[in-house]
Every structure is written in C-alpha cells, then in structure tokens.
Amino acid sequence: LIVIIAGYSNGMVGYIPDANAVRDGGYEVDRALHIFNQESRYSENVEICVKKGLISLLNKFNVKNYF
C-alpha cells in the first residue's frame, strides 16, 4: 500500500507548510494564500494535524509500519 498526501486536489492548488516554513514566512506562507482565496495563513501545527489525520486513516485500514 502506498499512501500519498495530495496537496493539490478539489480544484485547489496549494501548499501545506511545515512548522518551520510557517515560522519563517515567505511567499508560500504569507503571499500565495491570497491567490488561492485562503482567509488566513496556516498555523504552526498544520503539519501535525495532517499527520494525525493520516495516521488515523492508516489505523482504520490496519496499515502498519508507516513514517
């Protein structure tokens, strides 16, 4: 089983930054969000939230040995 987190889906081309990128700021974090009609920048815990959701999904399907 190969699982890929798709950051490009549902007509939305976007970037999900890790905590370091959020702290550092820059184009992807601070300016590109306006192009994609995001109301605000991501919080520093977005990476953790995505990982928790992915782990929950993998556990639901009894997938082991990830990350």
Side-chain angles (χ1 to χ4, degrees), residues 18-64:
D18 62 14
N20 290 328
V22 174
R23 280 191 293 274
D24 292 345
Y27 173 76
E28 293 90 351
V29 176
D30 294 317
R31 292 186 293 280
L33 62 98
H34 301 293
I35 296 169
F36 303 111
N37 295 317
Q38 286 178 246
E39 293 181 14
S40 62
R41 68 194 320 247
Y42 286 107
S43 71
E44 288 187 23
N45 68 349
V46 67
E47 177 184 15
I48 293 168
C49 291
V50 170
K51 283 183 179 178
K52 284 182 178 180
L54 178 59
I55 289 168
S56 175
L57 181 62
L58 293 172
N59 287 336
K60 179 178 178 179
F61 291 99
N62 205 28
V63 175
K64 304 296 179 203

